[in-house]
């Protein structure tokens, strides 16, 4: 069985997991999707981008999403998926910033102040990943234009393992859990060792129920500083 082609630190801690039968079923399923002419997002080379951009030994913050974006745009006659392997993030070339991400930016500006954060014209969050923010979706792929279509193929077992490994082997990580689904992962996290920040989801349906005003970004940095860690430059996008 082929080993995972991911960042070396993650490869060391996850290769054994990738040898398990359930993971082989995931790869078999995705192969069958391609053979049947089904399109899924993100593209295969970006499925593990969250891990590649945020190495195992640099994880300081985890922002947990549920499912990749299932929509896409046509740019220069080519399909450009909104999903590119990071929770809540979209590629720079895409023109549309999803509503939840727009609300994340609004809260970030409210939290830090207009002078410290200017809302960007794009929705690419790779700048956060490169500072130690793991932008992890619970499910890592989705069939095009079919929300949650891959949620039952086994990805959550794999990403639950990632959450547990971080909880077990690291100290003083901040887990940001927006919405009920993300908060259902709280039992995987050792609350004696790590900080959990919870609020409603930034979706337009729930953003006014407590997401706005929750100030997660300043809380993250205050905690990191208290633990002797470098804060996140949230404006570095």
């Amino acid at each position: 069985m082929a080993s995972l082609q991911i960042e070396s630190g993650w490869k060391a801690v996850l290769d054994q997991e990738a040898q398990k039968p359930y993971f082989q079923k995931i790869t078999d399923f995705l192969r069958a999707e391609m053979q049947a002419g089904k399109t899924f997002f993100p593209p295969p080379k970006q499925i593990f981008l969250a891990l590649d951009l945020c190495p195992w030994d640099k994880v300081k913050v985890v922002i947990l999403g549920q499912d990749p974006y299932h929509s896409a745009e046509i740019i220069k006659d080519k399909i450009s998926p909104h999903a590119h392997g990071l929770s809540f993030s979209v590629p720079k070339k895409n023109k549309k910033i999803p509503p939840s991400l727009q609300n994340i930016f609004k809260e970030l500006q409210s939290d830090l102040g207009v002078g410290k954060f200017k809302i960007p014209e794009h929705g690419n969050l790779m700048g956060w990943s490169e500072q130690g923010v793991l932008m992890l979706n619970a499910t890592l792929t989705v069939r095009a234009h079919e929300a949650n279509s891959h949620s039952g193929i086994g990805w959550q077992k794999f990403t639950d393992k990632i959450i547990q490994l971080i909880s077990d082997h690291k100290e003083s990580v901040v887990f940001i859990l927006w919405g009920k689904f993300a908060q259902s992962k709280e039992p995987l996290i050792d609350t004696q060792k790590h900080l959990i920040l919870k609020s409603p989801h930034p979706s337009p349906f729930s953003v006014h129920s407590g997401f706005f005003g929750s100030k997660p970004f300043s809380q993250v940095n205050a905690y990191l500083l208290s633990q002797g860690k470098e804060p996140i430059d949230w404006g570095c996008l």
Side-chain angles (χ1 to χ4, degrees), residues 210-226:
F211 177 79
F212 282 155
S214 59
K215 299 186 179 298
F217 307 100
S218 58
Q219 289 188 71
V220 166
N221 281 350
Y223 179 76
L224 292 176
L225 284 168
S226 76

PDB file of all heavy atoms in Angstrom, residues 210-226:
ATOM      1  N   GLY A 210     -24.255  34.971  18.208  1.00  0.00           N
ATOM      2  CA  GLY A 210     -23.126  34.942  19.121  1.00  0.00           C
ATOM      3  C   GLY A 210     -21.771  34.843  18.457  1.00  0.00           C
ATOM      4  O   GLY A 210     -20.740  34.934  19.135  1.00  0.00           O
ATOM      5  N   PHE A 211     -21.740  34.656  17.129  1.00  0.00           N
ATOM      6  CA  PHE A 211     -20.432  34.673  16.468  1.00  0.00           C
ATOM      7  C   PHE A 211     -19.882  36.094  16.443  1.00  0.00           C
ATOM      8  O   PHE A 211     -18.749  36.329  16.868  1.00  0.00           O
ATOM      9  CB  PHE A 211     -20.508  34.116  15.044  1.00  0.00           C
ATOM     10  CG  PHE A 211     -19.183  34.201  14.321  1.00  0.00           C
ATOM     11  CD1 PHE A 211     -18.187  33.263  14.578  1.00  0.00           C
ATOM     12  CD2 PHE A 211     -18.918  35.235  13.427  1.00  0.00           C
ATOM     13  CE1 PHE A 211     -16.942  33.360  13.954  1.00  0.00           C
ATOM     14  CE2 PHE A 211     -17.683  35.336  12.801  1.00  0.00           C
ATOM     15  CZ  PHE A 211     -16.697  34.390  13.057  1.00  0.00           C
ATOM     16  N   PHE A 212     -20.706  37.036  15.956  1.00  0.00           N
ATOM     17  CA  PHE A 212     -20.272  38.429  16.007  1.00  0.00           C
ATOM     18  C   PHE A 212     -20.112  38.853  17.462  1.00  0.00           C
ATOM     19  O   PHE A 212     -21.000  38.665  18.293  1.00  0.00           O
ATOM     20  CB  PHE A 212     -21.292  39.332  15.312  1.00  0.00           C
ATOM     21  CG  PHE A 212     -21.220  39.307  13.808  1.00  0.00           C
ATOM     22  CD1 PHE A 212     -22.338  39.627  13.058  1.00  0.00           C
ATOM     23  CD2 PHE A 212     -20.044  38.984  13.131  1.00  0.00           C
ATOM     24  CE1 PHE A 212     -22.289  39.621  11.660  1.00  0.00           C
ATOM     25  CE2 PHE A 212     -19.985  38.964  11.742  1.00  0.00           C
ATOM     26  CZ  PHE A 212     -21.097  39.294  11.003  1.00  0.00           C
ATOM     27  N   GLY A 213     -18.953  39.381  17.758  1.00  0.00           N
ATOM     28  CA  GLY A 213     -18.649  39.805  19.117  1.00  0.00           C
ATOM     29  C   GLY A 213     -17.926  38.767  19.947  1.00  0.00           C
ATOM     30  O   GLY A 213     -17.584  39.022  21.112  1.00  0.00           O
ATOM     31  N   SER A 214     -17.650  37.590  19.373  1.00  0.00           N
ATOM     32  CA  SER A 214     -16.998  36.527  20.146  1.00  0.00           C
ATOM     33  C   SER A 214     -15.488  36.730  20.287  1.00  0.00           C
ATOM     34  O   SER A 214     -14.858  36.117  21.149  1.00  0.00           O
ATOM     35  CB  SER A 214     -17.268  35.161  19.496  1.00  0.00           C
ATOM     36  OG  SER A 214     -16.792  35.121  18.155  1.00  0.00           O
ATOM     37  N   LYS A 215     -14.891  37.562  19.438  1.00  0.00           N
ATOM     38  CA  LYS A 215     -13.480  37.962  19.535  1.00  0.00           C
ATOM     39  C   LYS A 215     -12.499  36.775  19.642  1.00  0.00           C
ATOM     40  O   LYS A 215     -11.628  36.741  20.514  1.00  0.00           O
ATOM     41  CB  LYS A 215     -13.271  38.908  20.714  1.00  0.00           C
ATOM     42  CG  LYS A 215     -14.069  40.197  20.613  1.00  0.00           C
ATOM     43  CD  LYS A 215     -13.731  41.177  21.723  1.00  0.00           C
ATOM     44  CE  LYS A 215     -14.522  42.458  21.598  1.00  0.00           C
ATOM     45  NZ  LYS A 215     -14.264  43.193  20.359  1.00  0.00           N
ATOM     46  N   PRO A 216     -12.608  35.799  18.753  1.00  0.00           N
ATOM     47  CA  PRO A 216     -11.709  34.651  18.866  1.00  0.00           C
ATOM     48  C   PRO A 216     -10.251  34.972  18.543  1.00  0.00           C
ATOM     49  O   PRO A 216      -9.340  34.365  19.118  1.00  0.00           O
ATOM     50  CB  PRO A 216     -12.279  33.658  17.838  1.00  0.00           C
ATOM     51  CG  PRO A 216     -12.956  34.524  16.826  1.00  0.00           C
ATOM     52  CD  PRO A 216     -13.526  35.667  17.612  1.00  0.00           C
ATOM     53  N   PHE A 217     -10.021  35.918  17.653  1.00  0.00           N
ATOM     54  CA  PHE A 217      -8.668  36.150  17.158  1.00  0.00           C
ATOM     55  C   PHE A 217      -7.782  36.811  18.218  1.00  0.00           C
ATOM     56  O   PHE A 217      -6.630  36.420  18.403  1.00  0.00           O
ATOM     57  CB  PHE A 217      -8.734  36.987  15.879  1.00  0.00           C
ATOM     58  CG  PHE A 217      -9.654  36.382  14.852  1.00  0.00           C
ATOM     59  CD1 PHE A 217     -10.948  36.857  14.687  1.00  0.00           C
ATOM     60  CD2 PHE A 217      -9.250  35.293  14.091  1.00  0.00           C
ATOM     61  CE1 PHE A 217     -11.811  36.281  13.769  1.00  0.00           C
ATOM     62  CE2 PHE A 217     -10.105  34.710  13.164  1.00  0.00           C
ATOM     63  CZ  PHE A 217     -11.386  35.201  13.011  1.00  0.00           C
ATOM     64  N   SER A 218      -8.329  37.785  18.926  1.00  0.00           N
ATOM     65  CA  SER A 218      -7.554  38.392  20.008  1.00  0.00           C
ATOM     66  C   SER A 218      -7.377  37.411  21.164  1.00  0.00           C
ATOM     67  O   SER A 218      -6.330  37.400  21.833  1.00  0.00           O
ATOM     68  CB  SER A 218      -8.226  39.677  20.499  1.00  0.00           C
ATOM     69  OG  SER A 218      -9.547  39.424  20.939  1.00  0.00           O
ATOM     70  N   GLN A 219      -8.370  36.551  21.391  1.00  0.00           N
ATOM     71  CA  GLN A 219      -8.241  35.539  22.447  1.00  0.00           C
ATOM     72  C   GLN A 219      -7.136  34.533  22.124  1.00  0.00           C
ATOM     73  O   GLN A 219      -6.382  34.113  23.013  1.00  0.00           O
ATOM     74  CB  GLN A 219      -9.569  34.807  22.648  1.00  0.00           C
ATOM     75  CG  GLN A 219     -10.666  35.627  23.291  1.00  0.00           C
ATOM     76  CD  GLN A 219     -11.861  34.768  23.633  1.00  0.00           C
ATOM     77  OE1 GLN A 219     -11.820  33.939  24.548  1.00  0.00           O
ATOM     78  NE2 GLN A 219     -12.948  34.953  22.897  1.00  0.00           N
ATOM     79  N   VAL A 220      -7.065  34.135  20.859  1.00  0.00           N
ATOM     80  CA  VAL A 220      -5.997  33.223  20.435  1.00  0.00           C
ATOM     81  C   VAL A 220      -4.641  33.836  20.754  1.00  0.00           C
ATOM     82  O   VAL A 220      -3.779  33.199  21.375  1.00  0.00           O
ATOM     83  CB  VAL A 220      -6.091  32.919  18.923  1.00  0.00           C
ATOM     84  CG1 VAL A 220      -4.795  32.268  18.430  1.00  0.00           C
ATOM     85  CG2 VAL A 220      -7.268  32.003  18.621  1.00  0.00           C
ATOM     86  N   ASN A 221      -4.443  35.074  20.349  1.00  0.00           N
ATOM     87  CA  ASN A 221      -3.128  35.684  20.518  1.00  0.00           C
ATOM     88  C   ASN A 221      -2.787  35.930  21.978  1.00  0.00           C
ATOM     89  O   ASN A 221      -1.635  35.769  22.394  1.00  0.00           O
ATOM     90  CB  ASN A 221      -3.043  36.979  19.713  1.00  0.00           C
ATOM     91  CG  ASN A 221      -2.801  36.713  18.234  1.00  0.00           C
ATOM     92  OD1 ASN A 221      -2.511  35.580  17.839  1.00  0.00           O
ATOM     93  ND2 ASN A 221      -2.913  37.738  17.412  1.00  0.00           N
ATOM     94  N   ALA A 222      -3.781  36.304  22.779  1.00  0.00           N
ATOM     95  CA  ALA A 222      -3.523  36.497  24.213  1.00  0.00           C
ATOM     96  C   ALA A 222      -3.072  35.180  24.841  1.00  0.00           C
ATOM     97  O   ALA A 222      -2.132  35.153  25.659  1.00  0.00           O
ATOM     98  CB  ALA A 222      -4.779  37.020  24.907  1.00  0.00           C
ATOM     99  N   TYR A 223      -3.712  34.086  24.453  1.00  0.00           N
ATOM    100  CA  TYR A 223      -3.343  32.779  25.001  1.00  0.00           C
ATOM    101  C   TYR A 223      -1.953  32.359  24.528  1.00  0.00           C
ATOM    102  O   TYR A 223      -1.124  31.898  25.337  1.00  0.00           O
ATOM    103  CB  TYR A 223      -4.372  31.737  24.590  1.00  0.00           C
ATOM    104  CG  TYR A 223      -4.069  30.337  25.093  1.00  0.00           C
ATOM    105  CD1 TYR A 223      -4.301  29.997  26.426  1.00  0.00           C
ATOM    106  CD2 TYR A 223      -3.545  29.366  24.247  1.00  0.00           C
ATOM    107  CE1 TYR A 223      -4.023  28.718  26.897  1.00  0.00           C
ATOM    108  CE2 TYR A 223      -3.270  28.084  24.705  1.00  0.00           C
ATOM    109  CZ  TYR A 223      -3.508  27.770  26.025  1.00  0.00           C
ATOM    110  OH  TYR A 223      -3.224  26.494  26.487  1.00  0.00           O
ATOM    111  N   LEU A 224      -1.684  32.510  23.239  1.00  0.00           N
ATOM    112  CA  LEU A 224      -0.367  32.120  22.728  1.00  0.00           C
ATOM    113  C   LEU A 224       0.741  32.895  23.434  1.00  0.00           C
ATOM    114  O   LEU A 224       1.767  32.321  23.813  1.00  0.00           O
ATOM    115  CB  LEU A 224      -0.300  32.339  21.207  1.00  0.00           C
ATOM    116  CG  LEU A 224      -1.181  31.428  20.338  1.00  0.00           C
ATOM    117  CD1 LEU A 224      -1.073  31.831  18.876  1.00  0.00           C
ATOM    118  CD2 LEU A 224      -0.806  29.960  20.512  1.00  0.00           C
ATOM    119  N   LEU A 225       0.528  34.184  23.620  1.00  0.00           N
ATOM    120  CA  LEU A 225       1.536  34.994  24.313  1.00  0.00           C
ATOM    121  C   LEU A 225       1.712  34.522  25.755  1.00  0.00           C
ATOM    122  O   LEU A 225       2.839  34.471  26.263  1.00  0.00           O
ATOM    123  CB  LEU A 225       1.134  36.473  24.284  1.00  0.00           C
ATOM    124  CG  LEU A 225       1.340  37.192  22.941  1.00  0.00           C
ATOM    125  CD1 LEU A 225       0.637  38.545  22.944  1.00  0.00           C
ATOM    126  CD2 LEU A 225       2.824  37.362  22.657  1.00  0.00           C
ATOM    127  N   SER A 226       0.614  34.142  26.398  1.00  0.00           N
ATOM    128  CA  SER A 226       0.698  33.670  27.787  1.00  0.00           C
ATOM    129  C   SER A 226       1.464  32.358  27.894  1.00  0.00           C
ATOM    130  O   SER A 226       1.986  32.021  28.958  1.00  0.00           O
ATOM    131  CB  SER A 226      -0.707  33.494  28.382  1.00  0.00           C
ATOM    132  OG  SER A 226      -1.340  32.305  27.897  1.00  0.00           O
TER     133      SER A 226
END
